[in-house]
Amino acid sequence: MLNTKTKNEKYDRNGLENVMKRRFFVVPSFLIYNGVAGLYDFGPTGCALKNNIESFWREHFILEENLLEISGTCITPEIVLKTSGHVDKFTDYAVKDVKTGQCFRADKLIKEWIEKERKKKKLTEEKLKELDELFIKIDNFEEKEIDEVISKNKICSPDTGNELSKSYKFNLMFETQIGPTGGCRGFLRPETAQGHFVNFKHLLDFNNNRIPFGSASIGLGFRNEIAPRSGLLRVREFTMAEIEYFVDPQKKEHKKFSQLKDLKLPLWSAKNQLGGKSIECDITLGEAVEKKIIDNETLGYFLGKTYLFLREIGIRKEGIRFRQHTPKEMAHYASDCWDAEIETSYGWIEVAGHADRTCFDLSHHTEISGTELVASRPLKETKVIKGIKIIPNKAIIFKKFSDKEKCKKLLDKLNSLSDDEKEALMKIYENNGKIEIEDNGEKIILEKDKNEIKMERFEQNVHEEKYFPNVIEPSFGIGRIVYCVMEHCFKVREKDSRRTYFDFPPIIAPYKASILPLIENDKFLAYVEPIRKVLVQNGITYRIDQVDSIGRRYARTDEIGIPFGITIDDITLKDNTITLREIDTMKQIRVPIDEVGTVIKNCCNRIEKWEDIIKKYPSFEEQKKDK
Amino acid sequence: MLNTKTKNEKYDRNGLENVMKRRFFVVPSFLIYNGVAGLYDFGPTGCALKNNIESFWREHFILEENLLEISGTCITPEIVLKTSGHVDKFTDYAVKDVKTGQCFRADKLIKEWIEKERKKKKLTEEKLKELDELFIKIDNFEEKEIDEVISKNKICSPDTGNELSKSYKFNLMFETQIGPTGGCRGFLRPETAQGHFVNFKHLLDFNNNRIPFGSASIGLGFRNEIAPRSGLLRVREFTMAEIEYFVDPQKKEHKKFSQLKDLKLPLWSAKNQLGGKSIECDITLGEAVEKKIIDNETLGYFLGKTYLFLREIGIRKEGIRFRQHTPKEMAHYASDCWDAEIETSYGWIEVAGHADRTCFDLSHHTEISGTELVASRPLKETKVIKGIKIIPNKAIIFKKFSDKEKCKKLLDKLNSLSDDEKEALMKIYENNGKIEIEDNGEKIILEKDKNEIKMERFEQNVHEEKYFPNVIEPSFGIGRIVYCVMEHCFKVREKDSRRTYFDFPPIIAPYKASILPLIENDKFLAYVEPIRKVLVQNGITYRIDQVDSIGRRYARTDEIGIPFGITIDDITLKDNTITLREIDTMKQIRVPIDEVGTVIKNCCNRIEKWEDIIKKYPSFEEQKKDK
């Protein structure tokens, strides 16, 4: 059942979209009210497919890599996203149709205009070159440059031909108010990552203060797109699965790297992209890290894990590549980034990013919150730190000076002294036996003999130093992956082009089995409940279908990619066996009802292969002959 | 490992909250920025516990009941929630401290004031009675009555003593804008239910147009509480698990009801509550439905399923009750509702509602959207419908009368005629061979002979009739359930009150196993990876802990409720067995490494019991003696 679709074969987007809608994989949300762009609902088939991909992700990453799974809230107060940079930088430029108010993403609008222009006949070489250069530059344009292009070329609203407004920055976060006061601005999170960073101290503590470790989160992210199109690939609400892997910046090795070092990934480095060179397919992860194409082992290890993940859920080999971000396209928090991209009918699509966020987030949150989000490493050599300790006796001081508030302020000043200031103060203390503190015209005198103040020199041996861990972040868009899996697994029967099916790997198939009584008759129906029970006991999801002919029902269950069909027929009445049919080969074998749960479960959990199972049981034809 | 905590034993909220925070079950979100009231993050232990409860819910309800799981969006356009009644009715009354701006929920504020008043000495009987009556009436008060109570009793802001503002309605939905135009108001959904209703046609079609069936959804809900307290029990963002079970209102029987009819649930009917009577514990579901205490089998069946669910995840028997809503507290869409309530340190808490929403939602959405959200049932006797068909020939008419807009309007009028009006028109048609249509001073004449119009009498046999299905809705608050499970499973070792543990049923325990090398030494550490692999292969979650003494590590793993401890010790080096320790009994047996995965898996999946497993393997003491 390996996916063997070749690269030349076109993806049948229309056929797929038809099935997706008709068999309730995914539909636009709120369709009875004409829908809302960029919002989609998953029906039973799509939801099960998505759940199964999430479960397998959890197994493949969280369980196997022993990550700490956490779950944060979508609603996020402004300060967190201000600190992370999203309030200022998570923006796109928009322009409006001045008459209808319809909004467009400025860069997309101009790119589409360029594509139209390019198709015009009789363009000079010079003009062509100019358009091509513009196309590339657009991504880095700001308001002024965008407005110039639009006005110079008289670009207008594509649907109406109306004039366009000046461009303006639009923040892509959904904004809301938390609570009734109107004084607590919040946003729906654009990524789950911030929930990891603000909890870093808890996580480190839970990991017995040891680095490296990773946390993971599967949850919703939101992006208030200006004008979303491209179906499931650009949506306003989506499920993300993110890993934040915290490492010591001095030790980016990964202890399991050797397990993946011989894996060959299709790598497209920034250097090759900019130099017009293509993807390197014949290089191992080990070599790529050694040659610094990939910066370090930890990043390399997760690229390998992602590749294996995508292959296991049915993405074909030739349809995967890893593309490094060029310096200009990097997110504001990243120093390096590799996207896992999948080929689809829309072109190559990013489904997972692997960013090295350095210590951007932990250091910024430390600065703004005042909570130190750091780890410690032992020093090779013990350091000696010298200093002066100032110990005021507050009990005595507060008795003497009645105005406590003033006192506190003055004493606080002692804490903020620099080393040099302390040294100067120490001399006065040693010479006079008393010191004077002054602030804003107020002052107090504290005397050694009255036990009001003590100053001591100290020496301290320091065995460890604090540092900000770096963060390697593999981040997956689950909705996009679901869509890509559907495109890659969508197939047509050779003998009948109207009959389509999905050859999903059984582990992610929405339903694992169908229960099909040959006809809707009590003698067959009596077997439904016992078979259902066997499946439920084995945790196997199923669909019961008893309407129409068996052929039409096979077609129907094929359409939603059910790998195993269980048919109850006349032979069942005689010997308690059923016909078990596999979707891709369409081969049918006879299996006793008692055993069907185990057979399907083992196949779904990849303990046994269908090729081996069919050797163990008589084929449908054989058994029929016997009876 | 059955939970046997008796009713008299106090719940140790402080002890639990300490462990919850320290061992990262749940912490307030964004704590480094002082947190946001009503938002909580789940750490690795809490997240795993929550995931496991969700998975078990999915198995217990979706898989066993063959429900259609769907997943809708949180962001919801205004029209959907206007139609559902939430824009107008999902509100609480708030009052503000006029100086600080702090907000309070008016009903809670007054109730707290009453409780304080009641504790005052020398209250007259009359005054007491007055306060008690007020306490009950509050829930139904509107602005004017609330303001009167506050001003009459000079109730002021509890923290500052400042005056309070007039009360005002505050809508509890988080509001946002979808897209950049500013013209598309949206809300975060307060329930997942609407996602089911707007998709009803897709669902019915997917179920081959057969009723009854149920859809289910596990997802986020939001409620912008005015001033949330009570920790995890009143939060602003929460996971819900909801079932919408669609039934023919004439057939509310459930085909599996007989399987649960002998179950006895603790039922507290509205009648008993209002009559001052207590809970009935000795009545079977069958009797309760027969006596109409519970309205119908489907509602009764789900009450039973909920009871079994709560028991299986560790809620003790005496801590569950089902309380029927009194007519006044019912939600705006419900005709009957039974809450599953759990006893906690906060008192009895609703964790699941079971509402009969009748056809409220489907009929309202049909009315507003114009899409018929109905099902059909066969008629017992075929009905004959007689009528008059009016067929204008638009092609001819539009040629004759140039103003198409006017024409259309006039023709539209034909569609809106009543039967009597059609009958009258038919007579004119039959007599004159032409008809006249008039609307707002405009008119046209349509002639039979010119083929502009045709009118025919028809008779039609109708075999089925349309109807709005009724909806039975079991709706679970997963976060609340997680908290209740923690309170019910939190225990203290008899011999050492500082040592606490959770006796979670293994199926929901956050981690199933700990791997504990006796000391952090290479000879023991070498066994970690092979054991880890065995566990991963069996899908068993684990924690590796190698820091500190084995006693302290047992204490630590007990604190997070890991049911099975695997210790690698000197005997392991000799015979490849490990010590397996169970958390509640603290009994230890020796199990070969090869078998430990199966043993734990079977225990977690309830295939085998610990009591039976310990008979199969030598105890730790026995084996130690042998070696």
Side-chain angles (χ1 to χ4, degrees):
Chain A
M1 271 185 287
L2 244 181
N3 205 320
T4 53
K5 201 181 281 176
T6 65
K7 198 168 183 177
N8 306 331
E9 207 178 318
K10 279 276 170 219
Y11 300 94
D12 178 10
R13 195 197 299 173
N14 285 342
L16 174 63
E17 283 185 347
N18 182 308
V19 172
M20 272 171 62
K21 195 178 156 185
R22 197 158 36 79
R23 303 312 310 280
F24 205 4
F25 278 88
V26 185
V27 296
S29 305
F30 315 111
L31 210 49
I32 64 170
Y33 293 104
N34 299 320
V36 175
L39 296 182
Y40 289 87
D41 291 345
F42 289 86
T45 38
C47 187
L49 182 63
K50 178 168 167 285
N51 286 346
N52 295 342
I53 288 175
E54 283 175 27
S55 291
F56 181 65
W57 191 93
R58 192 171 267 126
E59 187 188 315
H60 185 80
F61 287 102
I62 298 181
L63 188 62
E64 280 184 23
E65 302 306 318
N66 205 9
L67 306 175
L68 305 180
E69 183 176 359
I70 61 170
S71 162
T73 59
C74 298
I75 296 171
T76 309
E78 182 174 22
I79 186 153
V80 174
L81 294 159
K82 179 81 186 166
T83 307
S84 70
H86 288 88
V87 170
D88 298 317
K89 294 183 181 159
F90 193 65
T91 53
D92 277 339
Y93 289 105
V95 288
K96 270 191 193 182
D97 181 316
V98 292
K99 282 190 186 153
T100 67
Q102 198 186 351
C103 294
F104 304 93
R105 231 177 92 172
D107 57 343
K108 293 221 160 168
L109 185 90
I110 297 174
K111 280 184 177 175
E112 278 169 20
W113 173 83
I114 293 174
E115 272 164 11
K116 260 192 208 156
E117 286 296 299
R118 282 190 102 275
K119 283 178 195 154
K120 285 186 179 166
K121 283 169 193 168
K122 296 182 191 165
L123 283 183
T124 60
E125 276 297 313
E126 199 184 352
K127 184 72 191 166
L128 264 178
K129 206 181 142 196
E130 190 190 309
L131 286 171
D132 286 348
E133 278 172 10
L134 182 62
F135 195 92
I136 292 165
K137 279 194 252 163
I138 292 285
D139 291 334
N140 301 309
F141 274 10
E142 301 197 351
E143 283 101 325
K144 208 184 130 197
E145 294 152 302
I146 292 170
D147 293 345
E148 271 171 20
V149 172
I150 289 178
S151 99
K152 185 182 150 200
N153 297 291
K154 300 199 178 79
I155 302 175
C156 48
S157 179
D159 299 339
T160 64
N162 293 335
E163 205 183 310
L164 291 168
S165 73
K166 295 258 181 227
S167 65
Y168 58 98
K169 254 191 198 171
F170 177 69
N171 192 295
L172 300 173
M173 292 193 293
F174 285 96
E175 190 181 328
T176 193
Q177 279 290 337
I178 307 171
T181 60
C184 186
R185 199 179 175 208
F187 298 95
L188 299 183
R189 64 179 176 198
E191 55 174 12
T192 72
Q194 297 307 319
H196 302 233
F197 304 138
V198 295
N199 279 306
F200 175 72
K201 270 175 79 83
H202 294 297
L203 286 166
L204 183 63
D205 177 61
F206 192 78
N207 204 48
N208 296 328
N209 288 307
R210 295 190 171 196
I211 292 255
F213 73 90
S215 55
S217 218
I218 303 178
L220 293 175
F222 299 83
R223 194 180 156 107
N224 198 5
E225 295 285 352
I226 291 171
R229 281 175 293 174
S230 321
L232 272 181
L233 298 177
R234 194 155 283 284
V235 296
R236 286 173 161 153
E237 178 175 336
F238 43 85
T239 301
M240 315 177 80
E242 293 193 304
I243 296 167
E244 310 299 328
Y245 200 83
F246 299 94
V247 296
D248 183 335
Q250 296 177 0
K251 290 183 199 161
K252 291 190 173 179
E253 295 81 21
H254 193 287
K255 72 173 179 189
K256 286 164 74 182
F257 184 72
S258 62
Q259 292 179 20
L260 301 188
K261 75 175 174 17
D262 297 325
L263 201 61
K264 288 181 182 174
L265 302 196
L267 298 177
W268 202 16
S269 66
K271 200 177 139 198
N272 279 14
Q273 290 167 59
L274 296 171
K277 286 188 197 160
S278 62
I279 299 168
E280 293 186 69
C281 290
D282 210 35
I283 185 167
T284 66
L285 269 181
E287 289 162 354
V289 170
E290 209 172 298
K291 291 183 185 166
K292 280 280 175 190
I293 298 171
I294 298 169
D295 182 67
N296 59 71
E297 281 188 9
T298 299
L299 192 54
Y301 182 75
F302 280 108
L303 292 179
K305 283 290 287 189
T306 297
Y307 179 77
L308 296 176
F309 172 74
L310 295 175
R311 291 287 294 129
E312 293 270 15
I313 59 172
I315 301 296
R316 62 186 174 71
K317 199 174 167 178
E318 321 84 72
I320 306 176
R321 73 180 184 197
F322 289 86
R323 193 180 67 77
Q324 191 176 28
H325 281 202
T326 59
K328 280 198 173 173
E329 68 181 308
M330 207 90 70
H332 63 271
Y333 48 72
S335 75
D336 190 10
C337 187
W338 287 83
D339 283 346
E341 296 186 333
I342 297 180
E343 196 189 29
T344 69
S345 65
Y346 294 91
W348 288 90
I349 291 299
E350 177 212 342
V351 299
H354 303 77
D356 186 337
R357 295 179 78 128
T358 66
C359 66
F360 180 91
D361 302 275
L362 293 181
S363 64
H364 278 72
H365 282 300
T366 295
E367 191 190 323
I368 304 298
S369 73
T371 301
E372 275 197 333
L373 305 177
V374 295
S376 309
R377 66 166 82 88
L379 283 169
K380 273 171 206 153
E381 282 173 49
T382 303
K383 250 193 207 166
V384 179
I385 291 184
K386 290 180 187 179
I388 292 164
K389 230 189 279 181
I390 307 176
I391 313 149
N393 187 324
K394 286 186 186 167
I396 294 174
I397 299 170
F398 284 175
K399 263 186 205 159
K400 186 168 160 190
F401 304 96
S402 57
D403 191 336
K404 279 186 194 172
E405 280 306 307
K406 267 184 211 162
C407 252
K408 263 187 201 165
K409 264 190 198 163
L410 288 161
L411 295 179
D412 279 349
K413 213 188 159 188
L414 289 175
N415 292 323
S416 59
L417 296 177
S418 70
D419 285 349
D420 286 347
E421 287 168 328
K422 279 183 186 170
E423 192 56 52
L425 204 63
M426 188 70 181
K427 276 185 189 144
I428 297 169
Y429 175 80
E430 281 167 344
N431 292 337
N432 305 350
K434 59 183 174 186
I435 59 165
E436 201 181 290
I437 323 171
E438 208 181 335
D439 188 44
N440 265 332
E442 306 284 343
K443 75 172 174 188
I444 47 174
I445 293 172
L446 300 176
E447 297 182 46
K448 181 183 172 183
D449 289 348
K450 293 187 182 161
N451 282 326
E452 288 163 359
I453 189 101
K454 216 157 66 178
M455 291 184 70
E456 288 169 359
R457 292 183 186 279
F458 73 90
E459 271 191 23
Q460 199 184 335
N461 291 335
V462 178
H463 308 282
E464 50 176 35
E465 60 180 347
K466 290 175 180 173
Y467 68 95
F468 288 115
N470 277 19
V471 178
I472 310 289
E473 179 195 74
S475 167
F476 295 73
I478 297 294
R480 286 186 169 194
I481 290 176
V482 169
Y483 181 79
C484 292
V485 165
M486 284 197 284
E487 273 208 0
H488 281 228
C489 293
F490 188 61
K491 291 201 166 172
V492 170
R493 292 275 177 225
E494 265 176 33
K495 291 181 183 165
D496 183 351
S497 66
R498 288 163 311 172
R499 287 199 52 185
T500 65
Y501 69 105
F502 292 101
D503 66 340
F504 296 127
I507 196 167
I508 62 150
Y511 295 91
K512 312 304 181 197
S514 56
I515 306 177
L516 312 166
L518 191 62
I519 46 173
E520 197 166 7
N521 174 316
D522 282 345
K523 68 180 178 180
F524 297 127
L525 291 179
Y527 286 83
V528 170
E529 188 54 24
I531 292 172
R532 204 187 71 84
K533 271 203 177 140
V534 168
L535 299 182
V536 169
Q537 273 161 14
N538 285 281
I540 296 165
T541 52
Y542 58 91
R543 285 272 291 166
I544 302 165
D545 196 343
Q546 55 207 43
V547 185
D548 297 331
S549 75
I550 194 75
R552 289 179 74 166
R553 280 182 279 162
Y554 277 145
R556 204 148 59 201
T557 54
D558 282 354
E559 256 192 347
I560 57 174
I562 300 183
F564 302 105
I566 298 170
T567 304
I568 303 159
D569 52 26
D570 288 307
I571 311 174
T572 311
L573 310 184
K574 287 177 200 152
D575 68 0
N576 254 327
T577 65
I578 51 77
T579 298
L580 188 66
R581 169 188 180 270
E582 194 272 337
I583 189 169
D584 196 44
T585 58
M586 294 197 283
K587 284 201 175 138
Q588 304 187 11
I589 55 174
R590 296 297 300 188
V591 179
I593 290 177
D594 297 347
E595 297 174 25
V596 70
T598 322
V599 165
I600 295 176
K601 190 170 68 176
N602 286 348
C603 231
C604 291
N605 295 346
R606 297 168 302 169
I607 292 169
E608 257 185 307
K609 286 181 182 168
W610 177 250
E611 299 92 276
D612 300 324
I613 289 167
I614 53 176
K615 289 174 198 154
K616 284 170 44 182
Y617 293 97
S619 75
F620 175 65
E621 292 75 17
E622 279 165 12
Q623 181 132 355
K624 208 174 172 188
K625 230 183 296 167
D626 290 353
K627 300 287 146 171
Chain B
M1 271 184 289
L2 244 180
N3 204 318
T4 53
K5 203 181 279 177
T6 64
K7 198 169 183 175
N8 306 330
E9 207 178 319
K10 280 275 169 218
Y11 300 95
D12 178 11
R13 195 198 299 172
N14 284 342
L16 173 63
E17 284 185 348
N18 182 309
V19 172
M20 272 170 63
K21 194 178 159 187
R22 196 157 39 78
R23 304 312 311 280
F24 206 4
F25 277 89
V26 185
V27 296
S29 305
F30 315 110
L31 210 49
I32 64 170
Y33 294 104
N34 299 321
V36 176
L39 296 181
Y40 290 86
D41 290 347
F42 289 85
T45 37
C47 186
L49 182 64
K50 179 168 166 287
N51 285 346
N52 295 343
I53 288 174
E54 283 175 28
S55 291
F56 181 65
W57 192 91
R58 192 172 265 126
E59 185 188 317
H60 185 81
F61 287 103
I62 297 181
L63 187 63
E64 280 184 22
E65 302 306 317
N66 206 8
L67 306 176
L68 305 179
E69 184 176 358
I70 62 171
S71 162
T73 59
C74 297
I75 295 171
T76 309
E78 182 173 22
I79 187 157
V80 174
L81 293 160
K82 179 82 187 166
T83 307
S84 70
H86 288 88
V87 170
D88 298 318
K89 293 184 183 160
F90 192 64
T91 53
D92 276 339
Y93 289 105
V95 288
K96 269 190 194 181
D97 181 315
V98 290
K99 285 190 186 154
T100 66
Q102 196 187 353
C103 294
F104 304 93
R105 228 177 95 173
D107 58 342
K108 290 220 164 168
L109 184 90
I110 296 174
K111 280 184 178 175
E112 279 168 20
W113 173 82
I114 292 174
E115 272 164 11
K116 260 193 206 158
E117 285 295 298
R118 281 190 101 276
K119 282 178 195 153
K120 284 187 179 165
K121 283 168 192 167
K122 294 183 193 166
L123 284 183
T124 60
E125 276 296 312
E126 200 184 354
K127 183 71 190 168
L128 264 176
K129 207 181 142 195
E130 192 189 308
L131 286 171
D132 287 349
E133 278 173 9
L134 182 62
F135 195 93
I136 293 164
K137 278 193 255 165
I138 293 285
D139 292 335
N140 300 309
F141 273 9
E142 300 196 353
E143 284 100 324
K144 208 182 129 197
E145 293 151 303
I146 292 171
D147 294 344
E148 271 171 19
V149 171
I150 289 178
S151 101
K152 187 183 147 199
N153 297 290
K154 301 197 176 83
I155 302 175
C156 48
S157 179
D159 298 340
T160 63
N162 294 335
E163 207 182 310
L164 292 168
S165 73
K166 295 258 180 224
S167 64
Y168 58 96
K169 255 191 197 172
F170 177 69
N171 192 297
L172 299 174
M173 291 192 294
F174 285 95
E175 190 180 329
T176 194
Q177 279 291 335
I178 307 172
T181 60
C184 187
R185 197 180 179 206
F187 298 95
L188 298 184
R189 66 180 175 196
E191 56 174 12
T192 72
Q194 298 306 320
H196 303 233
F197 303 138
V198 295
N199 279 307
F200 175 72
K201 269 174 79 86
H202 294 296
L203 285 166
L204 182 64
D205 177 61
F206 192 78
N207 203 49
N208 297 327
N209 288 307
R210 294 190 173 196
I211 292 253
F213 72 91
S215 55
S217 218
I218 302 178
L220 292 176
F222 299 84
R223 195 181 156 108
N224 198 4
E225 294 286 353
I226 291 172
R229 282 176 291 176
S230 324
L232 274 180
L233 298 177
R234 192 155 286 285
V235 295
R236 285 172 163 155
E237 178 175 336
F238 43 85
T239 302
M240 314 176 80
E242 293 193 304
I243 296 166
E244 310 298 327
Y245 200 83
F246 299 94
V247 295
D248 182 336
Q250 294 176 0
K251 290 183 200 161
K252 292 191 173 177
E253 294 81 21
H254 192 287
K255 73 174 177 191
K256 285 164 75 182
F257 183 72
S258 62
Q259 293 179 19
L260 300 187
K261 75 175 175 19
D262 296 326
L263 200 62
K264 288 180 181 175
L265 300 195
L267 299 176
W268 202 16
S269 65
K271 199 175 140 201
N272 279 13
Q273 290 167 59
L274 296 172
K277 285 187 196 162
S278 62
I279 298 166
E280 292 186 67
C281 290
D282 210 36
I283 186 168
T284 66
L285 269 179
E287 288 162 353
V289 169
E290 209 172 297
K291 289 184 184 167
K292 280 281 177 187
I293 297 171
I294 299 168
D295 183 66
N296 59 72
E297 281 188 10
T298 299
L299 192 53
Y301 181 75
F302 280 107
L303 292 180
K305 282 290 285 187
T306 297
Y307 179 77
L308 295 175
F309 173 73
L310 294 174
R311 292 287 293 130
E312 293 269 16
I313 59 173
I315 301 296
R316 64 186 172 70
K317 198 174 169 181
E318 321 83 72
I320 306 175
R321 72 181 186 196
F322 290 86
R323 193 180 67 77
Q324 191 176 29
H325 280 201
T326 58
K328 281 198 171 171
E329 67 181 309
M330 208 90 70
H332 63 272
Y333 48 71
S335 76
D336 190 9
C337 188
W338 287 82
D339 282 347
E341 295 186 332
I342 296 180
E343 196 189 29
T344 70
S345 66
Y346 294 90
W348 288 89
I349 292 298
E350 178 210 341
V351 298
H354 303 76
D356 186 336
R357 295 178 79 127
T358 67
C359 66
F360 179 92
D361 302 275
L362 294 181
S363 64
H364 278 72
H365 283 300
T366 296
E367 192 189 324
I368 305 298
S369 74
T371 301
E372 275 197 333
L373 305 178
V374 295
S376 308
R377 66 167 81 89
L379 283 168
K380 274 171 206 150
E381 283 173 47
T382 302
K383 251 194 205 165
V384 180
I385 291 184
K386 291 181 184 178
I388 293 164
K389 230 189 276 182
I390 308 177
I391 313 150
N393 188 325
K394 287 186 183 166
I396 296 176
I397 298 170
F398 283 175
K399 265 186 204 160
K400 185 170 164 191
F401 304 96
S402 57
D403 190 337
K404 277 185 196 172
E405 280 306 308
K406 264 186 212 162
C407 250
K408 262 186 201 165
K409 263 192 199 163
L410 288 160
L411 293 179
D412 280 347
K413 214 187 158 187
L414 288 176
N415 291 324
S416 59
L417 296 177
S418 69
D419 285 351
D420 284 350
E421 286 168 328
K422 280 184 184 169
E423 192 55 51
L425 203 64
M426 188 69 182
K427 276 189 187 141
I428 296 169
Y429 176 81
E430 281 168 342
N431 291 337
N432 306 347
K434 57 181 174 185
I435 60 167
E436 199 181 292
I437 323 171
E438 208 183 332
D439 185 45
N440 265 331
E442 307 283 344
K443 74 173 178 187
I444 48 175
I445 293 171
L446 301 176
E447 294 182 49
K448 181 182 173 184
D449 288 349
K450 294 185 180 161
N451 283 326
E452 290 163 357
I453 188 102
K454 216 158 72 178
M455 292 184 67
E456 288 170 359
R457 293 184 185 276
F458 72 90
E459 269 193 21
Q460 198 185 337
N461 290 334
V462 178
H463 307 284
E464 50 177 35
E465 60 181 346
K466 290 177 181 171
Y467 67 96
F468 287 116
N470 277 18
V471 179
I472 310 289
E473 178 194 73
S475 168
F476 295 72
I478 296 294
R480 286 187 168 194
I481 290 174
V482 169
Y483 180 79
C484 292
V485 165
M486 283 197 282
E487 273 208 358
H488 280 227
C489 294
F490 188 61
K491 288 201 172 174
V492 171
R493 292 275 178 225
E494 265 177 31
K495 289 180 186 165
D496 184 351
S497 66
R498 288 162 312 172
R499 288 198 52 184
T500 64
Y501 69 105
F502 291 101
D503 66 339
F504 296 127
I507 196 167
I508 63 150
Y511 295 92
K512 311 304 183 200
S514 55
I515 305 178
L516 312 167
L518 191 61
I519 47 174
E520 199 165 7
N521 175 316
D522 281 346
K523 68 179 179 181
F524 297 128
L525 292 179
Y527 286 82
V528 170
E529 187 54 24
I531 292 172
R532 205 188 69 84
K533 272 203 178 140
V534 168
L535 298 183
V536 169
Q537 274 161 13
N538 284 281
I540 295 166
T541 53
Y542 58 91
R543 285 273 289 165
I544 302 165
D545 195 344
Q546 54 207 44
V547 185
D548 298 330
S549 74
I550 192 75
R552 286 177 78 167
R553 281 182 279 161
Y554 277 146
R556 205 148 59 201
T557 54
D558 282 355
E559 257 193 346
I560 58 174
I562 300 184
F564 302 105
I566 298 170
T567 304
I568 303 160
D569 52 25
D570 288 307
I571 311 175
T572 311
L573 310 184
K574 289 178 198 151
D575 69 359
N576 254 330
T577 64
I578 50 79
T579 298
L580 188 65
R581 170 187 179 272
E582 193 271 337
I583 190 170
D584 195 43
T585 59
M586 292 197 282
K587 285 201 175 136
Q588 304 186 12
I589 55 174
R590 297 295 302 188
V591 179
I593 289 176
D594 297 348
E595 296 173 28
V596 70
T598 322
V599 165
I600 295 175
K601 191 170 69 176
N602 286 349
C603 230
C604 291
N605 295 345
R606 295 169 302 168
I607 292 167
E608 255 184 309
K609 286 182 182 165
W610 177 250
E611 299 91 276
D612 299 324
I613 288 167
I614 52 175
K615 289 175 198 153
K616 283 169 46 182
Y617 293 96
S619 73
F620 175 65
E621 292 75 17
E622 280 165 11
Q623 183 133 351
K624 210 174 171 189
K625 229 182 296 167
D626 289 354
K627 300 285 148 171

